[in-house]
Amino acid sequence: FRQAVITTFIGNIEIELYSQQAPVSVDNFINYIKVWAFNDGRFYPVLRLDNDNGSPKIEVVQSGTNIEFEDFAAIQLKTTKQTGIQHLDGVLSMARGGPNTATSEFFICVGAQPALDFGGVRNPDGKGFAAFGKVTKGMHIVKKVHQIRAALEVDDNYIKGQMLAKPLAILHIQLTKN
């Protein structure tokens, strides 16, 4: 596997990327890292049991690139059934709408989120999300972000209470030597 560090103002989050099990998602993520797309990126929607308006409720912290960065082409969905990586505490996964629509957005699970695995009912198509890595150090930073309550006022009831008023900036994400 490959390793990387997500650097924020409140601390670092060390991650490992499962390039053997999830090569499509890992290669995609690394491509964004290599062009510095996450410099000035942000953690911005935070889903908790008290603010998630989906069903079943999930707990994740989502992240994205610098808002000026234009995403690469979407990647093919590799499900948890194909990779064997389940959505457990600290697992990184690609955010998506429909199948094969993931680009740069990713999320980190806070606690086990089986509804996001293949066959889980969180996504209507039942294919789940493409998990591709895991936090190895700094989960306390993810949990700090997860507990931020100050949310933007939004008109969309589905995301009400989830969009951080002050997104946590990602200074950069760097690959580390293994």
Side-chain angles (χ1 to χ4, degrees), residues 5-162:
V5 177
I6 303 170
T7 303
T8 75
F9 286 114
I10 62 171
N12 292 348
I13 303 164
E14 295 179 20
I15 58 177
E16 58 187 24
L17 306 172
Y18 302 131
S19 43
Q20 296 290 316
Q21 298 107 300
V24 172
S25 298
V26 170
D27 288 350
N28 177 65
F29 189 69
I30 287 174
N31 286 338
Y32 283 99
I33 292 172
K34 285 181 174 174
V35 297
W36 306 105
F38 292 110
N39 285 19
D40 299 321
R42 71 250 180 265
F43 285 106
Y44 63 105
V46 170
L47 283 73
R48 293 183 307 271
L49 298 180
D50 66 357
N51 73 356
D52 183 7
N53 302 305
S55 179
K57 292 182 181 293
I58 58 169
E59 294 199 289
V60 301
V61 173
Q62 190 168 319
S63 182
T65 58
N66 171 327
I67 52 175
E68 279 152 37
F69 189 83
E70 198 170 316
D71 283 341
F72 300 136
I75 58 170
Q76 185 181 10
L77 173 64
K78 292 296 182 188
T79 68
T80 56
K81 184 178 180 180
Q82 293 167 298
T83 65
I85 308 165
Q86 294 181 303
H87 289 88
L88 302 173
D89 188 43
V91 164
L92 278 74
S93 191
M94 298 304 301
R96 70 173 183 91
N100 308 322
T101 60
T103 53
S104 62
E105 299 272 317
F106 68 96
F107 59 87
I108 302 173
C109 295
V110 178
Q113 305 300 326
L116 302 177
D117 291 338
F118 182 84
V121 293
R122 178 60 185 216
N123 201 303
D125 60 40
K127 294 184 187 307
F129 294 81
F132 67 93
K134 187 176 190 335
V135 172
T136 55
K137 194 173 177 188
M139 195 61 193
H140 65 288
I141 302 295
V142 175
K143 288 182 177 167
K144 264 189 196 172
V145 177
H146 193 245
Q147 292 308 311
I148 297 171
R149 297 272 195 258
L152 281 178
E153 289 296 319
V154 294
D155 292 333
D156 184 339
N157 281 335
Y158 189 74
I159 61 169
K160 202 175 209 79
Q162 298 173 4

